[in-house]
Amino acid sequence: MRESARDSEETWKGRLALLLIALFVLLHYCSVIGAYVRFNRTVVPTDDPFTYTMGFFWQLDLARTDFWEGLRMAFTSNWYWMLNLPIVLFSSVLVKEPFSLCIFNFAMFGAATAAFFRLARRLEFGIGFSLVVAWLPWAFPLHYGFLDYTSLPVLGLDSMFLGALHLALAATLLYALDPARMGNAAFAGLSTGLAIWARGNSLLVVGMVLLVPICAVLHGIWKQRERRSWAGFALFAGICAGMTAFFYIKQGKQIATYYADHLVFVQRNDWSLVDAMPFIK
């Protein structure tokens, strides 16, 4: 009886902690809106965030006019899927302002925060310490303000990609702790697929970040030697492979063309260590 009451209390505390995480994300987002409006009224936008923002505005206008065409173009116009898709899906409630669209960056970081909290609890840390662990994705100064390309309010690709990468890392580590759970396998596969969808050249980066967790998954499966564990890994791999294949079938040609132009920039100069040192530093 006491054990049941203790479990019930822990469940209640865990749900309250998740509610606090959601409240933190919402309050943080709301604290940005006023400053973002003033920033956009006083600073002339330039470079990639400006061109990306214009593209997202176009996506929003199209979805409002023709939802299904907007959804089709979200997959075919470019590889900015992780912002294109929510803009289309929530087009009826969004306004054509950067502060409205950047909410999806915050939402992705919120999902990653909840996943890290769940991971910490699975490792049997207390509620308080688990909340500290969950907050770690927010600890980097580059997430704040409007001038860095990776800042949460900025409408580029890197902020969404970093959030998706955090989510995939937490989900895969959680899966590694119990490879026999099909739900963990599916969640890790979906999170990894979303991270790959988040940026055109993300495949190698996602692979580097998740290499050790996936090795841990395989080690756990080998130790368990259970058919269910191998079935879970097949589910994980199938989701990852399916989402990756779909992404590169739709956008592979555009991505290859884009990076071929970058290769020209590098090859047209005879590089020496002196030339490369500023970039190395």
Side-chain angles (χ1 to χ4, degrees), residues 185-208:
F187 180 52
L190 177 63
S191 301
T192 302
L194 292 179
I196 292 169
W197 282 13
R199 196 173 66 174
N201 64 343
S202 62
L203 185 59
L204 291 177
V205 179
V206 174
M208 288 188 293

Side-chain angles (χ1 to χ4, degrees), residues 95-276:
V95 297
K96 201 159 73 171
E97 291 283 350
F99 78 80
S100 179
L101 306 188
C102 77
I103 192 173
F104 301 115
N105 291 339
F106 286 82
M108 182 58 77
F109 265 82
T113 304
F116 273 111
F117 174 79
R118 186 181 171 199
L119 173 64
R121 292 294 291 149
R122 178 64 180 77
L123 290 169
E124 299 183 353
F125 291 122
I127 295 289
F129 188 77
S130 296
L131 282 172
V132 172
V133 171
W135 181 80
L136 288 177
W138 301 85
F140 298 94
L142 58 83
H143 294 323
Y144 304 95
F146 310 102
L147 298 179
D148 192 283
Y149 184 65
T150 55
S151 298
L152 278 161
V154 177
L155 291 176
L157 296 183
D158 280 13
S159 184
M160 174 60 75
F161 176 59
L162 286 174
L165 197 58
H166 282 305
L167 177 63
L169 176 61
T172 309
L173 288 171
L174 188 63
Y175 172 38
L177 293 177
D178 191 354
R181 294 194 64 175
M182 301 294 283
N184 286 353
F187 180 52
L190 177 63
S191 301
T192 302
L194 292 179
I196 292 169
W197 282 13
R199 196 173 66 174
N201 64 343
S202 62
L203 185 59
L204 291 177
V205 179
V206 174
M208 288 188 293
V209 170
L210 298 187
L211 176 61
V212 172
I214 291 174
C215 287
V217 170
L218 291 172
H219 180 259
I221 293 173
W222 179 79
K223 286 181 63 177
Q224 289 181 344
R225 291 183 172 86
E226 293 181 10
R227 183 177 298 178
R228 183 178 177 82
S229 298
W230 286 112
F233 187 77
L235 178 63
F236 165 77
I239 293 173
C240 291
M243 294 179 71
T244 301
F246 180 57
F247 181 70
Y248 284 103
I249 287 170
K250 289 291 185 182
Q251 293 298 327
K253 186 176 180 180
Q254 291 190 54
I255 293 170
T257 300
Y258 178 79
Y259 286 106
D261 292 337
H262 285 66
L263 186 61
V264 171
F265 298 153
V266 175
Q267 291 177 336
R268 69 187 181 187
N269 183 62
D270 293 328
W271 290 90
S272 67
L273 184 60
V274 174
D275 297 325

Side-chain angles (χ1 to χ4, degrees), residues 14-88:
R15 291 174 179 173
L16 178 61
L18 290 174
L19 181 62
L20 288 174
I21 289 172
L23 183 62
F24 164 77
V25 175
L26 180 61
L27 290 176
H28 183 27
Y29 168 71
C30 290
S31 72
V32 167
I33 293 175
Y36 207 175
V37 171
R38 291 192 298 273
F39 178 80
N40 284 319
R41 288 177 178 173
T42 55
V43 178
V44 178
T46 60
D47 300 328
D48 283 356
F50 174 71
T51 56
Y52 280 117
T53 301
M54 294 302 100
F56 295 136
F57 283 174
W58 171 83
Q59 190 76 61
L60 179 61
D61 286 339
L62 178 61
R64 285 174 172 173
T65 304
D66 186 338
F67 177 83
W68 295 110
E69 179 63 14
L71 188 60
R72 185 184 73 83
M73 292 302 291
F75 288 106
T76 58
S77 60
N78 51 53
W79 58 84
Y80 317 151
W81 288 13
M82 290 309 297
L83 278 169
N84 285 348
L85 288 171
I87 287 172
V88 171

